[in-house]
Amino acid sequence: MTSSATPGPGPGSGGGRRGGTSPPANGGARRVPWGGALLTALAAVGWAYLGMAAVAALALHLLGADTAGSLGPMTAALVTMAVGGKVSPSGDVSVFGISGAQATGTIDVLPLGVGLTGALLLAWVFLWSLRRAGAVVGVAELLVRALAVVVLFLAALAGLGWAGHDTVSLRGGGPGRGGSINGGFPGIGDLGDLGSFGSGLLKGLGTLARDHGTVGFRVDTAASMSGGVVWVVLVLAIALLSSRYGPLPRGWAALHRTVRPAASAVRSVLVMAVCAGLLVALYSAFTDDHPGRVVGGALAGAPNGVWLGTALGLFVPWHGAATGPLALLLPHPLDDVLRGADSGRAITMPELARYDGRVWLLTAAAAVMMLAAGVLTAARTPVGGTSGWGFAGRCAVRLAVASGVALSLLVWITGLSLDADLSVFGFDAVGASVTLHGNPAWALLLGAGWGAAAGAVGALLAHATGAAGTWAAPLTALGKDPERPVRPGGDAPARHTGRRDGV
């Protein structure tokens, strides 16, 4: 009687859990939940776009962009740029009553504050849906869920391309006053009042456009769709590789121990650095004459500045060029280094230190970040009975790979390119441009070097203090003890010991 009332875990029982919600304890595959995959993909994409739209709209409002044009189309354009899309400005300006003046330009910059918000929300909901599969997820289910997210994401992006076009006004002023566009290009500081470029581009343009003028912008749908594919695939890949509790397909269990501890440590440190940058911006807003602009610029572009400073602090070489008044948009001392460098100039830490010795604080901050990543890697990596030096070697290699890939990716996404021209019947009246790009190859090598050093030092410190492996996730035990079932989240003790004591 007792044996019939308490059956053992069978092929469809899921180890005592409700059948159909998780795989059996022996890792048997389950059917692909098509309906659930579609619903969770819809939730992931919806929350991601909702979060990005909220951050973008708030940032544009604080920058004052809604005083010159409709906030909705500008928000759609900014969100499109945040996920790798392309936006091109253009317009007609009447010069002293004579038509035929054409304003053109290109914008190639990612507002990473908006994009990071969407990436975190998309990854969180996507990984939450995977955890319902149990400790192991089937390859077919993983592909279906990821493909559903990609398709729905691109469909929403196409809608933004349709909505992301509008016209903003150039308001002519009286004598001595230039027109202004209250808008912003996040990531390179507050460009909110474009008429304040140090009596630059748009002040001169406003003088010409005393009567009236408009500058429009439109989303390049084809280029935005291709950029959106790259963005969403990268977000999903990074989420899978850096998640500590998300399940992986059978045969990928080694990634729980070799890749995920270091990748999650790098991810945590980079996000924490952005949070610190936001706190600094909020503090600065209290002492600034325009606190709204400071907060708005930080919401949209804090990761751009923080990660650019991190790359410079780790000695990644950059190359930049600046012509015209757009050079004033760069933060000090970059503006001094690039001012007048029409053909481009190398940017290194020693070169920046010639203009301001305080830039060496970037190196100190970046070194502390890397050491923190090394300690986190050691705390999240199972020791496995190896010696302290052997454990340090493993952590050094794994953090070297993660840091090299992460730093090269940061250098790629923080680059920027801005161009602006005012042409009258084909005659270039005003022109300005700013380009700033890092060297991904050097970033890969330097990131690997810093990661190896930080991983070794952090592992030795963690091993000496007894912190090594204390934060190892329960999934790191997969593949070592096949008879011991493990849940993705684990229980409270398992999150600290890396094992689950009793099922």
Side-chain angles (χ1 to χ4, degrees):
M1 187 70 178
T2 304
S3 60
S4 62
T6 58
S13 65
R17 300 180 63 175
R18 182 177 299 177
T21 61
S22 65
N26 61 2
R30 67 170 185 168
R31 292 184 301 174
V32 177
W34 294 93
L38 182 61
L39 289 176
T40 54
L42 184 62
V45 173
W47 278 109
Y49 275 111
L50 182 62
M52 287 190 290
V55 172
L58 180 59
L60 289 171
H61 173 71
L62 292 174
L63 290 169
D66 51 351
T67 62
S70 177
L71 186 61
M74 283 189 285
T75 300
L78 193 61
V79 171
T80 302
M81 292 170 57
V83 297
K86 301 297 181 183
V87 176
S88 300
S90 62
D92 293 320
V93 182
S94 175
V95 183
F96 299 111
I98 302 175
S99 61
Q102 185 71 22
T104 61
T106 59
I107 304 173
D108 186 10
V109 57
L110 294 176
L112 294 178
V114 179
L116 181 61
T117 301
L120 292 176
L121 289 172
L122 183 73
W124 182 76
V125 179
F126 175 72
L127 292 172
W128 173 83
S129 69
L130 286 181
R131 290 179 64 177
R132 301 189 63 181
V136 178
V137 64
V139 175
E141 180 178 350
L142 178 61
L143 291 177
V144 166
R145 290 186 180 275
L147 184 60
V149 170
V150 172
V151 171
L152 291 177
F153 186 88
L154 293 180
L157 184 59
L160 289 180
W162 173 79
H165 59 86
D166 195 15
T167 300
V168 295
S169 299
L170 290 172
R171 296 187 181 87
R177 290 177 54 200
S180 67
I181 302 177
N182 295 322
F185 297 98
I188 51 174
D190 174 19
L191 312 192
D193 185 359
L194 295 184
S196 66
F197 281 3
S199 302
L201 175 62
L202 290 191
K203 180 166 285 190
L205 194 153
T207 303
L208 293 176
R210 286 284 169 77
D211 297 335
H212 66 275
T214 60
V215 172
F217 58 90
R218 62 178 179 82
V219 172
D220 188 338
T221 304
S224 297
M225 295 296 283
S226 60
V229 171
V230 175
W231 187 90
V232 68
V233 170
L234 277 177
V235 168
L236 294 179
I238 293 172
L240 280 175
L241 293 176
S242 64
S243 171
R244 300 177 61 207
Y245 301 109
L248 290 174
R250 179 167 298 280
W252 297 15
L255 297 180
H256 293 298
R257 302 183 299 274
T258 59
V259 174
R260 284 185 157 185
S264 65
V266 173
R267 178 207 61 198
S268 299
V269 168
L270 290 176
V271 173
M272 289 170 59
V274 172
C275 294
L278 288 173
L279 291 177
V280 171
L282 289 176
Y283 175 79
S284 300
F286 286 105
T287 59
D288 193 86
D289 295 334
H290 304 282
R293 294 180 183 177
V294 175
V295 176
L299 284 175
N304 296 70
V306 170
W307 293 342
L308 172 62
T310 300
L312 284 170
L314 296 179
F315 300 104
V316 175
W318 289 69
H319 186 272
T323 59
L326 286 181
L328 299 176
L329 304 179
L330 296 172
H332 179 76
L334 280 177
D335 55 345
D336 293 332
V337 175
L338 294 182
R339 184 175 292 123
D342 298 354
S343 58
R345 187 171 182 178
I347 303 172
T348 61
M349 285 297 293
E351 182 69 19
L352 292 174
R354 291 177 52 194
Y355 295 87
D356 192 338
R358 293 174 297 178
V359 297
W360 289 114
L361 293 175
L362 293 176
T363 298
V368 171
M369 288 175 55
M370 293 303 302
L371 182 58
V375 173
L376 281 177
T377 300
R380 295 174 178 180
T381 301
V383 178
T386 59
S387 64
W389 290 105
F391 180 70
R394 288 189 308 173
C395 292
V397 171
R398 294 167 184 176
L399 187 58
V401 175
S403 300
V405 174
L407 190 59
S408 59
L409 180 61
L410 291 185
V411 166
W412 175 47
I413 63 177
T414 52
L416 62 93
S417 176
L418 296 175
D419 297 281
D421 295 287
L422 175 65
S423 300
V424 183
F425 302 118
F427 175 74
D428 186 17
V430 179
S433 67
V434 170
T435 59
L436 186 63
H437 297 286
N439 190 316
W442 273 108
L444 180 64
L445 295 175
L446 288 171
W450 280 95
V457 174
L460 291 175
L461 289 175
H463 197 274
T465 57
T470 54
W471 289 355
L475 289 177
T476 57
L478 282 178
K480 290 186 174 183
D481 189 358
E483 300 299 327
R484 181 183 297 271
V486 183
R487 290 187 302 174
D491 52 7
R495 287 192 176 95
H496 296 282
T497 63
R499 296 180 58 87
R500 188 180 178 193
D501 300 327
V503 179

